[in-house]
Amino acid sequence: MKDVTFGQYYPANSIVHSMNPAVKILLTIAYIVAVFMVKQFYFLGFAACLLAVILITILAKIPFLKVLKSVKAVIFFVLLSAILQLLFNKNGTPLWKGGFITDVGLLTAGFITARIVLMVLGATLLTLTTSPVDLADGIETLLFPLKLIKFPVHEFALIMSIALRFIPTLIDETDRIIKAQKARGADFDSGNIFKRAKALIPVLIPLLISSFRRADELADAMDARCYAGSKKRTKYKKTPFTVSDFFGLVFMAGLIVGVVFLNGFII
Amino acid sequence: MQIVSKDLVYTYSEKAKALAFRALDGVTLTIPEGEFFGIIGQTGSGKSTFVQHLNGLIPTKEGNGQLLVGEFDLTDKNTNLKELRKKVGMVFQYPEYQLFAETVFEDVAFGLKNFYPDLPQVDVEDRVKQAITTVGLDYDKIKEKSPFELSGGQKRRVAIAGVIVSRPEVLVLDEPVAGLDPVGKREFARLLKTLHATFVKTVVIVSHDMDFVAEYCSSVAVFSKGKVVKVGTPKQVFEDRVGMREMGLDIPVTEYLKDALKEKGVILDCDLSVESFTKAVAEKFAKNKGETDL
Ligand SMILES: Nc1ncnc2c1ncn2[C@@H]1O[C@H](COP(=O)(O)OP(=O)(O)OP(=O)(O)O)[C@@H](O)[C@H]1O
Ligand SMILES: [Mg+2]
C-alpha cells in the first residue's frame, strides 16, 4: 500500500526545485500553451518542446526514467486516441492500395500522441520538483485576485494543504486497518463485485471514524494555538522571486517564440 | 505450533529504489510451542515487521529466507492463509481502531463468522459470550451496545475479544499495553495468562515495557537493526547491562534496584519478578536484623 507514492515529489537540490512555486505553475501553464500552439503536422515545434523537457530534467537533477514513467498513467488513453485516428480518419490517401489506414490518419495519430505525451511530461516536471505543500502555496498566491470578490483564498489553500498533508497518514491508517481485518479472516480479493464492496465496510467505517477524530484533534490543536483565518498572517516559508525564476521566464518565453517560429517550417 | 524463522529478509518499497528500506535483515529465531515469548528492541528495529509475517499479513517471497509456522510454510505461495490466520491470532497496537460493526456482538462475531461460516447461530452466540466474558466485560449489558459508545478501555477489550473468539493457538500481540494505565496493564497481563492457560498455546508479545517482559515472559528475543541479536530467558537477557545500554534498551525496575543495592554492598540472589525481589530483600533484612541483635 505504501508503494503508492502520492504526488511523486522527487526531492533534490536544484535550481528548478528552488524556484517560486507560483512562477513554476505559471510556467507550466505557459508550456502547455506552447505545446498547443504547435500547428498541425509541424513536428519541429514538438521537438523544441521535447528539448525543453530534457533540459529542465537535467537542470532538476531528476532521472529521465522517473519523468518518462508518468506517461504510463495515460498510456491507455494515448493508445486509444491514436488507434481511433488510425482506423477511422478517412482523409488523405490510403497508405497502400485498398488499405484502410491513410497518411493523414497516421500523421494525426502521431500528432495527438506527441501532444498528450509532451503535455503530461511537462505537468510531471512540476509535480516532481514541487512538494504538495509548495504547490498549495503557489496556488494560493495565484488565486490572489479572487480575494477581491471576497473568496476565502487563504482558507481554501489551507484546506488543500491539510488534505495533502493527511493523504500519507490515511494510507498508513488504511494499511493498518486492512491488516487488522485480514487477521480476523476478512477476505478482500474473492467473490463478485457486490461481495467485495461489502467486504470493504469493515475498513471504511474505522477509517471514517478515525478521520473525524483526527479532524477534531487538529481543530483543537489549531484553536489551542489561537489560529485565526487569513488576516495579516505572515508566512513561515517565504518564496521570493529569485534569479532562477527570472531565467525560467526567459526560458519559457524563448520556447514560445521558438514554437511560433518553427510553425513556419514543415518537414 | 512451533515457529521457525531462518534468515528472513524483508524490504519495504522494494520497487522504489530510493525509498527501499530493509527492515528485516536475516532474522533467525525459533519460538517453541508453549512459550510466553517476548520481543523487545529499539524503535525501528523490525519487531512489528517480523510479527506481521507470522500470519502472512506481510508476504514472504522466495529467496528471502524461510518461515515455518507449525505445518504452514509461509514461503510457499499456495499456503492457505485463512487456515493459518484461524490458528494465529493477531492483536495490533490500539486494536480499538479496528471496530466497525453496529453492535459489540456483531463486531466480536466478525472473525468467527469469517473463519467458520457454517457455525450454527447458537454456537456463535456461545463463543461470543465466552470471549466477551473472558476479557472481563458483562455480556448481557454490552452485547447490543454500539462499540463506539464504549470507553477506551472497554473498546480495547471488545477488540481483543474479537480476536480470541476464534480461539487461535498462537496469539501475537504488538504493543498491546501501550496507552493503558498501570491497573489496566496488570489486568491485561492477567488476561493473557488466563488465555495462555487455556486454548492459546503460544503467546508472542512485542513490548517496550521491560517490567512486563521480566515479569511474564518465559523467553525474550532482542531485535536490533533487523536482526535478532540475543535470545534467552529474561534473566539472561537483562544480565548483559552493557549490551542493553548499547542497544538503547531499558532494564526492569527490579534490576535497577538490585544494582543500587549492590553498590551499597548488599548482594541479592533473586529472579526478576517483583515478588521474588521483595522476598529476597525481606530475607536479607531478617538475617541482618538477627546479626545486629547478637
Ligand atoms: N510501510 C512501511 N514502508 C516503509 N518503511 C517502513 C514501513 N513500515 C516500517 N518501515 C520501516 O521499517 C523499519 C522497521 O519498522 P517496524 O515497524 O518493524 O519497527 P518496530 O521495531 O516495530 O518499531 P516500533 O517499536 O517503533 O514499533 C523502520 O525503520 C520503519 O521506518
Ligand atoms: Mg512496532
Side-chain angles (χ1 to χ4, degrees), chain A residues 173-175 177-178 181 188 199-208, chain B residues 100:
Chain A
E173 187 92 14
T174 315
D175 192 38
I177 296 171
I178 286 182
Q181 308 300 26
F188 301 107
L200 284 179
I201 293 177
V203 176
L204 293 180
I205 291 183
L207 200 60
L208 214 62
Chain B
F100 73 96

Side-chain angles (χ1 to χ4, degrees), chain B residues 49-78:
Chain B
T49 311
F50 175 69
V51 296
Q52 284 175 27
H53 275 79
L54 299 182
N55 65 354
L57 287 176
I58 296 181
T60 317
K61 265 199 314 200
E62 216 165 304
N64 277 355
Q66 266 183 345
L67 182 59
L68 289 167
V69 179
E71 67 270 32
F72 297 95
D73 181 356
L74 280 271
T75 15
D76 182 357
K77 263 201 200 119
N78 302 319

Side-chain angles (χ1 to χ4, degrees), chain B residues 101-109 125 128-129 132 137-147 149-150 158:
Chain B
E102 272 172 56
T103 65
V104 168
F105 180 91
E106 269 174 66
D107 208 289
V108 174
E125 271 169 36
V128 171
K129 181 172 180 178
I132 291 182
L137 294 171
D138 187 336
Y139 175 73
D140 291 312
K141 254 194 209 155
I142 213 168
K143 65 174 178 186
E144 291 303 328
K145 279 198 179 166
S146 156
E149 60 185 70
L150 304 178
V158 169

Side-chain angles (χ1 to χ4, degrees), chain B residues 42-49 51-52 93 174-175 206 208:
Chain B
Q42 229 176 350
T43 160
S45 54
K47 306 179 297 289
S48 301
T49 311
V51 296
Q52 284 175 27
Q93 195 175 0
D174 194 349
E175 293 178 42
V206 176
H208 282 291

